[in-house]
Structures are given as C-alpha cells and as structure tokens.
Amino acid sequence: MSITDLSKIRNIGIAAHIDAGKTTVSERIFYYAGKTYKMGEVHEGTAVMDFDPEEQQRGITIHAAATTLPWKGDTINLIDTPGHVDFTIEVERSLRVLDGAVVVFCGVGGVEAQSETVWRQADRYGVPRLAFVNKLDRVGSDWERVIHEVQTRLHKGAAPVQLPIGAAGDFAGIIDLVRMRACYFRNELGTEVEETDVPADLKPMAELARDELVEKAAEFDDRLMEKYLASRRPEADALKAAIRKGCIRSAFIPVLCGSALKNKGIQLLMDAVCDYLPSPLDVSALTAHEITRKGETKEVKIEPDPDGAFVGLVFKITADAHGDLHWVRVYRGRLRAGTRVLNTTRDKKENVQRLWRMHADERLREDEVLAGDIISVVGLRESYTGDTLCDTRHTVVLEKMGIPKTVIAMAIEPRTSEDRQRLGEVLRILAREDPTFEYRVDDETGQTLISGMGELHLDVLTHRMLRDFRLDVKVGRPRVAYRETIREAAEAEGRFIRQTGGHGQYGVVKIRVEPRPGRDLGADPVSFDVDMKGGAVPQEYIPCVERGIREAAAGGIVTGYPLTDVHVTLLDGQHHEVDSSEIAFEAAGSLALQQAVEKAGVRLLEPIMRLQVVAPNEYFGDLTADLMSRRAEIRETELRGTTRVITAMVPLAAMFGYATTVRSLTQGRATYSMEASHYAVVPDDVARTLLD
C-alpha cells in the first residue's frame, strides 16, 4: 500500500447512548456496502454485529465488533461499540485507536447521559466526529431541539449539513445543504435514491441554513471566507473542503439526519464519512517514547509510513478456543504473519502466527497488513490491552489507555469441587479480556470477590462462565466498592527495626498525610512527594517507602476499604549502613501510613452515580418521591412534550433493584441509565450502619 492509498482509509467507530440505534445504523451500512445481502435487526436478534448469544438475548450491544467494507473507492474499518455504561471500556479502547467517529443521537431522546460520556471519551483522545440524528420517523422526534442540545451541551461548533424533509410519519427525505439538492428514498429498502431540486416551500429555510453553514465553515478556509465576505455563493466542493478541515481539527461537527430503521439517509452518512472524517494521513502523528540502545528514552513522532519500522497497539483481547485474538492497530510499518515482534511494555518477544481481518465473528485470513490497518492477531501470549508491539530492532512505547475503576463487587462461589479448581483459570481469562473486570480472594473470609462496572456487567460475565466455560457458580448480593479517606492532616513515624543476630533490618521514616481534593473515580488514589533534607533516607530506598505506602493504602487502614484522595509527603527518616534494606523501608512506610491515618481519622466514601430517567410526565411525582427516599440529589428536570427527563446524583448503594422499581412505578413505560460520576462522603448515620 502506498502513501496515496492511505488517504482512502477511514478508521471509524459508531458510538451512542443505548437505544439510539447505532447497531441498526451499522447493519444498514453493511447492506449498502455489499457486505451483507439482508439487513439484520436488533429486535429480531439477527444483527450481524450482535453475534454473541448474550447480545441477541438481551437486545443490546455488549462487545465492540469490527468489520472492513468498501465505499465508492474508499475502505472503511468500522467498529460498532456498546451504548450501555457498564461496557464503557469497549468504547474507551476503540476510540483510543480510531481516527474518527459517528455519534448517533435519537431524534426523540436527543443528548442523553451516555451520549455525553461518549463525547467526553472522544474529546480525551482528540477524535474528530460526525453527528447523526436518527429515528426522525418516530412520533415526538424534534430535529431542531436535538441540534440545540448538541450545540449547547456538547460542542458549539456543531452545525447541520442536512435538513429533514417532513417529520415523524411524514419524514420523506433529506436536503443536502452542501449541494442544495433534495434526496428522496423511493423504495422500502432505501436503495432507490432520487435527487431533485429543493422543494419551493422549503427553499427559503434551506438557503438560510446553508448561509449559516457557509459562515461557520469559512472560519477554516481563507478562500471560502473571501467569497463569504464578498457575498459570493461558494461551490459545493469548496464548501466540502472547508467542512473537512474544520472536522479534522475537531473544531466543526457536521450534523446529519435520517432514519436507519426506515432505510433513509445511510448512504449520505457513508458519503460524509469519506468526505469529512480523516484518513490516517490527516491525523496528528502519534507521540511515543523511543528506547535507545543505551537504555535512554526520547520522545518521537510515529508517522503512518508503511515502509517504516513496525509499531502497533493491542487494544482488545477476545478469548477463543483456537487461541486468543489480539486486536491491533498498526500505526507504522507492516506486520506479516509468521514474524516475531517485541512487546516493549513487558519486554517480551512475541510470535505473530496468523492475521485475521474481522467481519463480526467471521474471519478472513491476511498475510500482511500495513500502517493504518486494524487487524486481529493470533499467537501472542504475553500481551495485554494497552501494550505496544514493535519491530525488535526499533523499540518504542506508546501511551497506554485509561481504564475506568470498578464500582461494584459481589462474592462468587462455585457449586462443585470440580468447578472450584477451574474458577481461577476462568477468572484469569475474563480479566485478560476485560480490564474493567477484577477479582481477588478476601484474606479474612476466603471468599472470591469479583468487581465490575455495574450489575449488568457482572451478570453478563457470570452468564458467560456458564455458557462459554461450563462453569456453574452462584453469586452473592452486590456490594458497593466503598473507599476511605482521611479527615485532616497528620504526621507519624514508622519504625521497622529487627535485630536477631547477624544481619538485621533497619528502616525509619517520618511522613505527613493530607486530604487531597478530587474524589475522581479514575484518579491515582495516593500521591507521593519528598520534602526531606539531606540523605536521611538514601535515594535507593525512597521507591521502597512509596511502594510500602501504596500497598498499605490498597488494603485499607481502618475500615478495610482502600484508602484514596490522600497526599503523602516523606519528611525524614533514619538508616543504618549495614542493616538497612528495601524490605525494611517498605515495611516502615507501611507502618508510618497506618499510624498517620489513625491519627488523622477516616471518613467513608461511596460511589455516586449520574442517573437519568425518561418517563411519561404523569409519573413524575412517584419517581421523584422514590428517588428522594434513595438519598438522590435531583439536579435537573426537563419536560419534552409529554415526557419528563429527570437527572439526579444518587448513591450506588441505594440503586440495587431499581430496574424493578421503576418498571413498577411507571407500568413499564420508563427507561433509565446510570454512569459512575464521583465519590462522596457517606453520611455519618449510614457510615455507622456500614461499620457496625
């Protein structure tokens, strides 16, 4: 593949709030691109991308699925991501390696809770986006309201490049503002697209919208700005080029419209993906750290050169009976089957046995892939999500991705002794696949505890144990992942001195602990600093002190819950020329932290969830009364026609079983979504109950 060919590649993801219709959008894309001969439907369990039995049964996307498809001379590598917040890691790691994204919004629901989460994730990785307003055929859809919400809540640079013709049951077609043409979809499958002049009654509105589009796009192109200031009408190609420039810079968000279920607007969306979203050549060079032969590191830029030394990133692992599939984004060079690569993250050499190009759960074997490609690799044994792979002679390390912290845990128990022997192996496989799944054995009770992002997340994983691994387990009641933090600053000294004849152990450290603002779910729980005069603690032992402090914090000091939001400063210490050791200073750091935290006093923290409930307005009173009984803080209520949207912050501990309650209160007519927001102090009366 040449550099010119790279300009024809689009690596994109489809992301949205749950039930916005992104998988239906993906299914239509496959059909119109010729990848499938029949459109799959989510509600019928026939969607190509929802191939997992768990997805088909629940009617939701759980795993990110990939495919490669052609469109008008371009190649689109597409990843369909989940919309449920419990599976947010699938969105996170997909966006880490994609060059662009299509964010789908429901024409009725508008900007919903998970829409904002997805948008923030894309912002974090600087991913350019298109917005697609779906379901405009539904009663209650409101194009203008959704546009306003996107502009005010997500990105002020969003602007329509299309307008819908009609609304709800009368939604008939789309006006392309760039070319000023009306597009009608004349048959049920949407394959017969008729282009006409813009209808006379809609032309004034379309002209006004186009003028606003030109005004915004002109900010990114000097020639277009000259024409705009001279009141000259720009050509479609010039306007398209300006929109592309703004989109690639993430300063402009083109907004499109349609109805995937009714097969309207998908071909125009695919055109927009190729016209506006970047190729691998258009995105900024990736920053990495090169490791020299002397062991030094220096910052380098990774350009998408197919002839350069190979660099790739493992961003997802899927367990498979014939060998784990490692999904890799190739950033530079080429990767061949049967070659050897270096995992620089773990300093391990790996064998690339086979390369597969994925279409959902189907595979097409490849002998070689080049920069800009997304591929699945078989043969890697020591590589995990976020690891860098590279040529063995040119070692570089890419930045790792962020992994959300778990917020919920439950005990798990195998039903038979045979299952008990296999439990550890199965848990290791699941944790290797999913970085947001954790497990540990409680030292006091001997119970195995599994942790995840929510009830649904753990429920899906326990079902997988039975279905995929034939491992029958029973699970306990979900438990909240509480944390402890300190009330005030305090100082303490930790002394670890042992003399048993011969070589002893000697380590003394003095530290100060201080509360640290934050309580962010993803923040480092303990920050460490050194403010010490002289060499009271030799330089080689300072990392041991920090390690002892972090290990003690992870195990909990007073309540048994991990310590968080604490800043620790090493102030002083003592050492012995003969008896001091790494073990001694690690133990001294641990003891010092325990004593300092006991002096400072602790508070219990609990995870707070951002809850959004959408229900008919007549149930507003019952829903708010129930939420108040759950210690919820209602932040916003919005009336959308006859529907009420309630946004609240509520403790996770109070939300177990909420799905049943909300169905009962609204006769099954409400929907809700939750996402982890932050940690907050547990009220004293609740804390006393938890600690008794």
Side-chain angles (χ1 to χ4, degrees), residues 514-554:
E514 301 167 280
R516 188 190 67 195
R519 293 173 188 161
D520 181 8
L521 286 165
D524 189 0
V526 176
S527 54
F528 181 79
D529 197 9
V530 179
D531 185 14
M532 184 175 56
K533 295 180 181 178
V537 176
Q539 193 69 33
E540 65 265 27
Y541 293 135
I542 290 177
C544 305
V545 175
E546 182 179 359
R547 185 164 60 247
I549 287 170
R550 290 189 180 278
E551 288 179 357

mmCIF file of all heavy atoms in Angstrom, residues 514-554:
data_model
loop_
_atom_site.group_PDB
_atom_site.id
_atom_site.type_symbol
_atom_site.label_atom_id
_atom_site.label_comp_id
_atom_site.label_asym_id
_atom_site.label_seq_id
_atom_site.Cartn_x
_atom_site.Cartn_y
_atom_site.Cartn_z
ATOM 1 N N GLU A 514 -2.096 14.307 54.083
ATOM 2 C CA GLU A 514 -3.024 15.431 53.948
ATOM 3 C C GLU A 514 -4.178 15.033 53.042
ATOM 4 O O GLU A 514 -3.979 14.285 52.077
ATOM 5 C CB GLU A 514 -2.309 16.640 53.337
ATOM 6 C CG GLU A 514 -1.130 17.139 54.130
ATOM 7 C CD GLU A 514 -0.290 18.115 53.322
ATOM 8 O OE1 GLU A 514 0.513 17.646 52.491
ATOM 9 O OE2 GLU A 514 -0.448 19.334 53.515
ATOM 10 N N PRO A 515 -5.389 15.517 53.340
ATOM 11 C CA PRO A 515 -6.515 15.264 52.411
ATOM 12 C C PRO A 515 -6.229 15.917 51.073
ATOM 13 O O PRO A 515 -5.658 17.016 51.013
ATOM 14 C CB PRO A 515 -7.713 15.926 53.109
ATOM 15 C CG PRO A 515 -7.284 16.145 54.529
ATOM 16 C CD PRO A 515 -5.798 16.314 54.502
ATOM 17 N N ARG A 516 -6.607 15.247 50.003
ATOM 18 C CA ARG A 516 -6.394 15.777 48.661
ATOM 19 C C ARG A 516 -7.733 15.922 47.960
ATOM 20 O O ARG A 516 -8.488 14.955 47.853
ATOM 21 C CB ARG A 516 -5.499 14.827 47.863
ATOM 22 C CG ARG A 516 -5.060 15.359 46.512
ATOM 23 C CD ARG A 516 -4.398 14.252 45.708
ATOM 24 N NE ARG A 516 -5.370 13.219 45.351
ATOM 25 C CZ ARG A 516 -5.042 12.018 44.917
ATOM 26 N NH1 ARG A 516 -3.778 11.672 44.832
ATOM 27 N NH2 ARG A 516 -5.972 11.139 44.593
ATOM 28 N N PRO A 517 -8.069 17.124 47.494
ATOM 29 C CA PRO A 517 -9.349 17.297 46.795
ATOM 30 C C PRO A 517 -9.386 16.435 45.545
ATOM 31 O O PRO A 517 -8.356 16.127 44.951
ATOM 32 C CB PRO A 517 -9.353 18.791 46.429
ATOM 33 C CG PRO A 517 -8.287 19.411 47.262
ATOM 34 C CD PRO A 517 -7.281 18.341 47.542
ATOM 35 N N GLY A 518 -10.574 16.049 45.147
ATOM 36 C CA GLY A 518 -10.703 15.299 43.904
ATOM 37 C C GLY A 518 -11.851 14.330 43.941
ATOM 38 O O GLY A 518 -12.954 14.615 43.519
ATOM 39 N N ARG A 519 -11.617 13.154 44.481
ATOM 40 C CA ARG A 519 -12.621 12.085 44.527
ATOM 41 C C ARG A 519 -13.112 11.709 43.138
ATOM 42 O O ARG A 519 -14.268 11.370 42.938
ATOM 43 C CB ARG A 519 -13.792 12.475 45.436
ATOM 44 C CG ARG A 519 -13.326 12.572 46.887
ATOM 45 C CD ARG A 519 -14.330 13.104 47.839
ATOM 46 N NE ARG A 519 -13.670 13.318 49.131
ATOM 47 C CZ ARG A 519 -14.138 14.094 50.082
ATOM 48 N NH1 ARG A 519 -15.263 14.721 49.913
ATOM 49 N NH2 ARG A 519 -13.491 14.225 51.214
ATOM 50 N N ASP A 520 -12.198 11.818 42.197
ATOM 51 C CA ASP A 520 -12.491 11.383 40.831
ATOM 52 C C ASP A 520 -12.298 9.875 40.756
ATOM 53 O O ASP A 520 -11.329 9.328 41.288
ATOM 54 C CB ASP A 520 -11.535 12.095 39.872
ATOM 55 C CG ASP A 520 -11.770 11.724 38.425
ATOM 56 O OD1 ASP A 520 -12.772 11.030 38.158
ATOM 57 O OD2 ASP A 520 -10.958 12.123 37.572
ATOM 58 N N LEU A 521 -13.215 9.198 40.069
ATOM 59 C CA LEU A 521 -13.164 7.737 40.008
ATOM 60 C C LEU A 521 -11.886 7.219 39.366
ATOM 61 O O LEU A 521 -11.411 6.142 39.699
ATOM 62 C CB LEU A 521 -14.383 7.208 39.238
ATOM 63 C CG LEU A 521 -15.703 7.267 39.998
ATOM 64 C CD1 LEU A 521 -16.852 7.065 39.039
ATOM 65 C CD2 LEU A 521 -15.749 6.219 41.090
ATOM 66 N N GLY A 522 -11.327 7.979 38.458
ATOM 67 C CA GLY A 522 -10.158 7.480 37.739
ATOM 68 C C GLY A 522 -8.834 8.001 38.251
ATOM 69 O O GLY A 522 -7.788 7.694 37.688
ATOM 70 N N ALA A 523 -8.833 8.795 39.327
ATOM 71 C CA ALA A 523 -7.611 9.427 39.803
ATOM 72 C C ALA A 523 -6.731 8.437 40.567
ATOM 73 O O ALA A 523 -7.205 7.442 41.109
ATOM 74 C CB ALA A 523 -7.952 10.618 40.688
ATOM 75 N N ASP A 524 -5.424 8.740 40.616
ATOM 76 C CA ASP A 524 -4.498 7.950 41.418
ATOM 77 C C ASP A 524 -4.898 8.113 42.882
ATOM 78 O O ASP A 524 -4.994 9.240 43.382
ATOM 79 C CB ASP A 524 -3.073 8.472 41.188
ATOM 80 C CG ASP A 524 -2.015 7.578 41.817
ATOM 81 O OD1 ASP A 524 -2.402 6.563 42.425
ATOM 82 O OD2 ASP A 524 -0.828 7.903 41.712
ATOM 83 N N PRO A 525 -5.149 7.023 43.623
ATOM 84 C CA PRO A 525 -5.667 7.164 44.987
ATOM 85 C C PRO A 525 -4.716 7.863 45.950
ATOM 86 O O PRO A 525 -5.144 8.594 46.838
ATOM 87 C CB PRO A 525 -5.944 5.720 45.417
ATOM 88 C CG PRO A 525 -5.155 4.871 44.488
ATOM 89 C CD PRO A 525 -5.066 5.614 43.209
ATOM 90 N N VAL A 526 -3.413 7.648 45.774
ATOM 91 C CA VAL A 526 -2.422 8.237 46.683
ATOM 92 C C VAL A 526 -1.347 8.931 45.859
ATOM 93 O O VAL A 526 -0.765 8.329 44.948
ATOM 94 C CB VAL A 526 -1.781 7.147 47.578
ATOM 95 C CG1 VAL A 526 -0.692 7.759 48.455
ATOM 96 C CG2 VAL A 526 -2.829 6.460 48.437
ATOM 97 N N SER A 527 -1.095 10.189 46.173
ATOM 98 C CA SER A 527 0.026 10.893 45.547
ATOM 99 C C SER A 527 1.172 10.964 46.555
ATOM 100 O O SER A 527 0.951 11.068 47.762
ATOM 101 C CB SER A 527 -0.391 12.291 45.087
ATOM 102 O OG SER A 527 -0.968 13.028 46.151
ATOM 103 N N PHE A 528 2.387 10.908 46.055
ATOM 104 C CA PHE A 528 3.569 10.802 46.926
ATOM 105 C C PHE A 528 4.575 11.875 46.563
ATOM 106 O O PHE A 528 4.822 12.148 45.387
ATOM 107 C CB PHE A 528 4.188 9.409 46.770
ATOM 108 C CG PHE A 528 5.402 9.174 47.627
ATOM 109 C CD1 PHE A 528 5.281 8.879 48.973
ATOM 110 C CD2 PHE A 528 6.679 9.248 47.077
ATOM 111 C CE1 PHE A 528 6.401 8.644 49.760
ATOM 112 C CE2 PHE A 528 7.810 9.024 47.858
ATOM 113 C CZ PHE A 528 7.669 8.722 49.202
ATOM 114 N N ASP A 529 5.162 12.498 47.601
ATOM 115 C CA ASP A 529 6.123 13.573 47.382
ATOM 116 C C ASP A 529 7.244 13.428 48.417
ATOM 117 O O ASP A 529 7.073 12.768 49.450
ATOM 118 C CB ASP A 529 5.434 14.935 47.526
ATOM 119 C CG ASP A 529 6.252 16.052 46.914
ATOM 120 O OD1 ASP A 529 7.249 15.753 46.244
ATOM 121 O OD2 ASP A 529 5.895 17.230 47.125
ATOM 122 N N VAL A 530 8.368 14.053 48.155
ATOM 123 C CA VAL A 530 9.508 14.015 49.070
ATOM 124 C C VAL A 530 9.891 15.439 49.435
ATOM 125 O O VAL A 530 10.114 16.279 48.555
ATOM 126 C CB VAL A 530 10.714 13.291 48.434
ATOM 127 C CG1 VAL A 530 11.903 13.286 49.403
ATOM 128 C CG2 VAL A 530 10.352 11.868 48.046
ATOM 129 N N ASP A 531 9.940 15.729 50.735
ATOM 130 C CA ASP A 531 10.383 17.033 51.239
ATOM 131 C C ASP A 531 11.340 16.761 52.401
ATOM 132 O O ASP A 531 11.003 16.925 53.564
ATOM 133 C CB ASP A 531 9.179 17.861 51.694
ATOM 134 C CG ASP A 531 9.583 19.265 52.122
ATOM 135 O OD1 ASP A 531 10.724 19.669 51.813
ATOM 136 O OD2 ASP A 531 8.766 19.943 52.786
ATOM 137 N N MET A 532 12.523 16.317 52.049
ATOM 138 C CA MET A 532 13.454 15.805 53.049
ATOM 139 C C MET A 532 14.818 16.461 52.851
ATOM 140 O O MET A 532 15.286 16.601 51.724
ATOM 141 C CB MET A 532 13.546 14.278 52.890
ATOM 142 C CG MET A 532 14.386 13.565 53.908
ATOM 143 S SD MET A 532 14.269 11.761 53.665
ATOM 144 C CE MET A 532 14.789 11.603 51.948
ATOM 145 N N LYS A 533 15.427 16.846 53.942
ATOM 146 C CA LYS A 533 16.748 17.461 53.873
ATOM 147 C C LYS A 533 17.817 16.391 54.034
ATOM 148 O O LYS A 533 17.699 15.486 54.853
ATOM 149 C CB LYS A 533 16.888 18.509 54.969
ATOM 150 C CG LYS A 533 15.941 19.695 54.806
ATOM 151 C CD LYS A 533 16.111 20.701 55.926
ATOM 152 C CE LYS A 533 15.156 21.872 55.764
ATOM 153 N NZ LYS A 533 15.269 22.849 56.879
ATOM 154 N N GLY A 534 18.864 16.533 53.251
ATOM 155 C CA GLY A 534 19.963 15.589 53.374
ATOM 156 C C GLY A 534 19.596 14.212 52.884
ATOM 157 O O GLY A 534 18.632 14.015 52.165
ATOM 158 N N GLY A 535 20.354 13.232 53.334
ATOM 159 C CA GLY A 535 20.137 11.855 52.898
ATOM 160 C C GLY A 535 19.648 10.979 54.019
ATOM 161 O O GLY A 535 20.157 9.859 54.208
ATOM 162 N N ALA A 536 18.677 11.487 54.798
ATOM 163 C CA ALA A 536 18.156 10.705 55.916
ATOM 164 C C ALA A 536 17.669 9.338 55.442
ATOM 165 O O ALA A 536 17.866 8.321 56.110
ATOM 166 C CB ALA A 536 17.021 11.464 56.609
ATOM 167 N N VAL A 537 17.009 9.327 54.310
ATOM 168 C CA VAL A 537 16.641 8.069 53.655
ATOM 169 C C VAL A 537 17.391 8.043 52.327
ATOM 170 O O VAL A 537 17.159 8.898 51.468
ATOM 171 C CB VAL A 537 15.124 7.968 53.415
ATOM 172 C CG1 VAL A 537 14.798 6.691 52.642
ATOM 173 C CG2 VAL A 537 14.356 8.006 54.728
ATOM 174 N N PRO A 538 18.314 7.114 52.141
ATOM 175 C CA PRO A 538 19.071 7.070 50.892
ATOM 176 C C PRO A 538 18.155 6.998 49.669
ATOM 177 O O PRO A 538 17.070 6.417 49.721
ATOM 178 C CB PRO A 538 19.901 5.785 51.039
ATOM 179 C CG PRO A 538 20.036 5.594 52.516
ATOM 180 C CD PRO A 538 18.749 6.097 53.109
ATOM 181 N N GLN A 539 18.627 7.582 48.595
ATOM 182 C CA GLN A 539 17.818 7.701 47.388
ATOM 183 C C GLN A 539 17.302 6.351 46.903
ATOM 184 O O GLN A 539 16.171 6.232 46.432
ATOM 185 C CB GLN A 539 18.649 8.366 46.277
ATOM 186 C CG GLN A 539 17.845 8.822 45.075
ATOM 187 C CD GLN A 539 16.924 9.994 45.398
ATOM 188 O OE1 GLN A 539 17.255 10.834 46.234
ATOM 189 N NE2 GLN A 539 15.756 10.033 44.758
ATOM 190 N N GLU A 540 18.101 5.295 47.036
ATOM 191 C CA GLU A 540 17.688 3.996 46.506
ATOM 192 C C GLU A 540 16.550 3.366 47.297
ATOM 193 O O GLU A 540 15.892 2.433 46.830
ATOM 194 C CB GLU A 540 18.884 3.036 46.454
ATOM 195 C CG GLU A 540 19.454 2.663 47.808
ATOM 196 C CD GLU A 540 20.640 3.555 48.195
ATOM 197 O OE1 GLU A 540 20.680 4.721 47.717
ATOM 198 O OE2 GLU A 540 21.500 3.082 48.951
ATOM 199 N N TYR A 541 16.282 3.883 48.523
ATOM 200 C CA TYR A 541 15.223 3.308 49.348
ATOM 201 C C TYR A 541 13.901 4.085 49.256
ATOM 202 O O TYR A 541 12.881 3.621 49.763
ATOM 203 C CB TYR A 541 15.657 3.236 50.814
ATOM 204 C CG TYR A 541 16.787 2.264 51.059
ATOM 205 C CD1 TYR A 541 17.872 2.611 51.865
ATOM 206 C CD2 TYR A 541 16.783 1.009 50.477
ATOM 207 C CE1 TYR A 541 18.924 1.725 52.086
ATOM 208 C CE2 TYR A 541 17.828 0.109 50.686
ATOM 209 C CZ TYR A 541 18.893 0.473 51.488
ATOM 210 O OH TYR A 541 19.922 -0.414 51.695
ATOM 211 N N ILE A 542 13.930 5.265 48.654
ATOM 212 C CA ILE A 542 12.701 6.082 48.577
ATOM 213 C C ILE A 542 11.594 5.369 47.787
ATOM 214 O O ILE A 542 10.442 5.343 48.216
ATOM 215 C CB ILE A 542 13.022 7.469 47.984
ATOM 216 C CG1 ILE A 542 13.853 8.272 48.993
ATOM 217 C CG2 ILE A 542 11.728 8.219 47.638
ATOM 218 C CD1 ILE A 542 14.297 9.637 48.499
ATOM 219 N N PRO A 543 11.893 4.727 46.632
ATOM 220 C CA PRO A 543 10.822 3.972 45.944
ATOM 221 C C PRO A 543 10.244 2.855 46.810
ATOM 222 O O PRO A 543 9.056 2.523 46.684
ATOM 223 C CB PRO A 543 11.530 3.413 44.705
ATOM 224 C CG PRO A 543 12.682 4.319 44.475
ATOM 225 C CD PRO A 543 13.139 4.738 45.839
ATOM 226 N N CYS A 544 11.067 2.273 47.703
ATOM 227 C CA CYS A 544 10.561 1.212 48.590
ATOM 228 C C CYS A 544 9.574 1.786 49.593
ATOM 229 O O CYS A 544 8.558 1.154 49.917
ATOM 230 C CB CYS A 544 11.719 0.544 49.326
ATOM 231 S SG CYS A 544 12.996 -0.088 48.231
ATOM 232 N N VAL A 545 9.874 2.977 50.103
ATOM 233 C CA VAL A 545 8.947 3.642 51.027
ATOM 234 C C VAL A 545 7.615 3.894 50.327
ATOM 235 O O VAL A 545 6.541 3.609 50.865
ATOM 236 C CB VAL A 545 9.551 4.971 51.534
ATOM 237 C CG1 VAL A 545 8.530 5.710 52.399
ATOM 238 C CG2 VAL A 545 10.832 4.721 52.313
ATOM 239 N N GLU A 546 7.680 4.416 49.096
ATOM 240 C CA GLU A 546 6.448 4.677 48.346
ATOM 241 C C GLU A 546 5.677 3.391 48.084
ATOM 242 O O GLU A 546 4.442 3.355 48.214
ATOM 243 C CB GLU A 546 6.778 5.359 47.015
ATOM 244 C CG GLU A 546 5.534 5.692 46.205
ATOM 245 C CD GLU A 546 5.844 6.391 44.894
ATOM 246 O OE1 GLU A 546 7.050 6.651 44.613
ATOM 247 O OE2 GLU A 546 4.893 6.667 44.126
ATOM 248 N N ARG A 547 6.385 2.313 47.748
ATOM 249 C CA ARG A 547 5.721 1.039 47.491
ATOM 250 C C ARG A 547 5.002 0.532 48.741
ATOM 251 O O ARG A 547 3.865 0.058 48.676
ATOM 252 C CB ARG A 547 6.731 0.012 46.992
ATOM 253 C CG ARG A 547 6.107 -1.311 46.581
ATOM 254 C CD ARG A 547 7.043 -2.150 45.738
ATOM 255 N NE ARG A 547 8.279 -2.473 46.426
ATOM 256 C CZ ARG A 547 9.493 -2.018 46.077
ATOM 257 N NH1 ARG A 547 9.605 -1.216 45.036
ATOM 258 N NH2 ARG A 547 10.575 -2.359 46.741
ATOM 259 N N GLY A 548 5.650 0.637 49.893
ATOM 260 C CA GLY A 548 5.021 0.207 51.137
ATOM 261 C C GLY A 548 3.774 1.015 51.459
ATOM 262 O O GLY A 548 2.760 0.476 51.923
ATOM 263 N N ILE A 549 3.839 2.326 51.182
ATOM 264 C CA ILE A 549 2.688 3.203 51.430
ATOM 265 C C ILE A 549 1.527 2.838 50.514
ATOM 266 O O ILE A 549 0.374 2.728 50.945
ATOM 267 C CB ILE A 549 3.115 4.673 51.239
ATOM 268 C CG1 ILE A 549 3.999 5.116 52.403
ATOM 269 C CG2 ILE A 549 1.898 5.586 51.095
ATOM 270 C CD1 ILE A 549 4.673 6.462 52.203
ATOM 271 N N ARG A 550 1.816 2.618 49.247
ATOM 272 C CA ARG A 550 0.745 2.305 48.287
ATOM 273 C C ARG A 550 0.114 0.942 48.575
ATOM 274 O O ARG A 550 -1.106 0.778 48.458
ATOM 275 C CB ARG A 550 1.292 2.347 46.857
ATOM 276 C CG ARG A 550 1.646 3.753 46.389
ATOM 277 C CD ARG A 550 1.979 3.793 44.912
ATOM 278 N NE ARG A 550 2.309 5.142 44.479
ATOM 279 C CZ ARG A 550 1.416 6.073 44.168
ATOM 280 N NH1 ARG A 550 0.129 5.782 44.248
ATOM 281 N NH2 ARG A 550 1.780 7.278 43.786
ATOM 282 N N GLU A 551 0.928 -0.031 48.957
ATOM 283 C CA GLU A 551 0.373 -1.350 49.261
ATOM 284 C C GLU A 551 -0.507 -1.304 50.505
ATOM 285 O O GLU A 551 -1.561 -1.943 50.561
ATOM 286 C CB GLU A 551 1.509 -2.363 49.443
ATOM 287 C CG GLU A 551 2.199 -2.721 48.128
ATOM 288 C CD GLU A 551 3.342 -3.700 48.318
ATOM 289 O OE1 GLU A 551 3.636 -4.061 49.491
ATOM 290 O OE2 GLU A 551 3.945 -4.106 47.301
ATOM 291 N N ALA A 552 -0.090 -0.540 51.513
ATOM 292 C CA ALA A 552 -0.907 -0.397 52.717
ATOM 293 C C ALA A 552 -2.213 0.320 52.407
ATOM 294 O O ALA A 552 -3.281 -0.047 52.907
ATOM 295 C CB ALA A 552 -0.127 0.364 53.790
ATOM 296 N N ALA A 553 -2.138 1.350 51.553
ATOM 297 C CA ALA A 553 -3.341 2.102 51.186
ATOM 298 C C ALA A 553 -4.328 1.228 50.437
ATOM 299 O O ALA A 553 -5.544 1.316 50.640
ATOM 300 C CB ALA A 553 -2.963 3.315 50.345
ATOM 301 N N ALA A 554 -3.835 0.358 49.564
ATOM 302 C CA ALA A 554 -4.715 -0.503 48.768
ATOM 303 C C ALA A 554 -5.476 -1.480 49.646
ATOM 304 O O ALA A 554 -6.616 -1.864 49.334
ATOM 305 C CB ALA A 554 -3.904 -1.258 47.718
#
